Amino acid sequence: MKIAALVGSVRRDSFNQRIADYMAERYAASMQIETLDLKSLPYFDQDEEENPPETVKGFKRKISEADGVLIVTPEYNHSVPGVLKNALDWVSRVDKVMTGKPVFIVGASPGMLGTVRCQIHLRQILASPGVKANVLTGNEVFIGAVHEKIDENGRLTDEDTIQYLDKVVENYLSFSEKHEEQE
């Protein structure tokens, strides 16, 4: 299964990028996860939505070609990071490449709540008329105190978190298969 990953942090040593990389390695037998570059996307501009820059066209093409989308994101100021919101604004216009696409969300933070508030807002965005993604529900992944759950190489080491993530990935794969059968 081909998965486009959107990581809501562009920080060099991003915990969320490390989680996405860990997932790409751990679940390589069932999912080919490719992290898409959000940093190079220009700010959404409605004047350019009909003929966007090539970086936007390529970004949207990769999402369109993917079987599903993984969003791995921190929480900034109780909400969605701007770089992620910008990417979602681009995909919500004209060809709307996320409509019906199976999506699952993972969030990691040094804080206790993981990314609870961000994910509430993110689910609202993903349900909006322009996006209409098919989001896996009831399988929220909030990795709080992430700095205590990964090693120096960015690999998850907390066994409870790993087992839960394994279960959510299994649920996502089943969810995606059902979605594919309905098409």
Side-chain angles (χ1 to χ4, degrees):
M1 175 175 226
K2 190 174 177 181
I3 302 294
L6 309 181
V7 177
S9 172
V10 295
R11 187 171 68 89
R12 185 175 29 257
D13 293 322
S14 164
F15 292 123
N16 286 276
Q17 184 62 61
R18 290 177 179 184
I19 297 296
D21 293 344
Y22 172 82
M23 292 178 69
E25 180 183 320
R26 182 165 181 88
Y27 306 114
S30 56
M31 296 188 296
Q32 293 75 52
I33 298 173
E34 178 186 0
T35 299
L36 304 186
D37 179 14
L38 304 188
K39 192 174 187 176
S40 67
L41 293 175
Y43 292 124
F44 173 73
D45 182 346
Q46 195 171 2
D47 291 336
E48 295 184 14
E49 69 182 1
E50 294 290 336
N51 189 23
E54 197 54 47
T55 54
V56 174
K57 290 178 185 176
F59 174 75
K60 291 175 89 169
R61 187 172 31 256
K62 287 191 180 246
I63 290 177
S64 180
E65 293 170 353
D67 300 308
V69 175
L70 164 65
I71 298 176
V72 187
T73 186
E75 176 176 298
Y76 292 166
N77 300 312
H78 297 181
S79 193
V80 178
V83 68
L84 177 57
K85 177 65 169 73
N86 183 57
L88 294 172
D89 287 344
W90 277 114
V91 301
S92 74
R93 305 297 288 197
V94 186
D95 46 357
K96 302 177 183 179
V97 294
M98 282 189 57
T99 298
K101 191 77 65 174
V103 175
F104 75 114
I105 305 167
V106 173
S109 169
M112 293 291 292
L113 297 177
T115 58
V116 172
R117 293 167 292 219
C118 168
Q119 289 195 35
I120 291 169
H121 293 165
L122 183 54
R123 288 172 189 280
Q124 290 173 331
I125 295 164
L126 294 171
S128 69
V131 182
K132 290 192 271 188
N134 191 11
V135 181
L136 177 65
T137 59
N139 288 267
E140 289 79 8
V141 180
F142 310 118
I143 306 173
V146 66
H147 60 292
E148 298 172 1
K149 297 177 181 175
I150 61 173
D151 65 18
E152 62 279 351
N153 298 315
R155 299 179 53 81
L156 266 175
T157 57
D158 182 72
E159 199 55 42
D160 289 339
T161 303
I162 293 168
Q163 287 178 10
Y164 182 70
L165 195 54
D166 287 348
K167 183 66 177 158
V168 170
V169 167
E170 181 182 311
N171 292 344
Y172 177 73
L173 293 171
S174 295
F175 172 76
S176 296
E177 285 173 20
K178 289 176 188 167
H179 170 76
E180 198 172 287
E181 291 170 5
Q182 292 173 353
E183 287 189 339

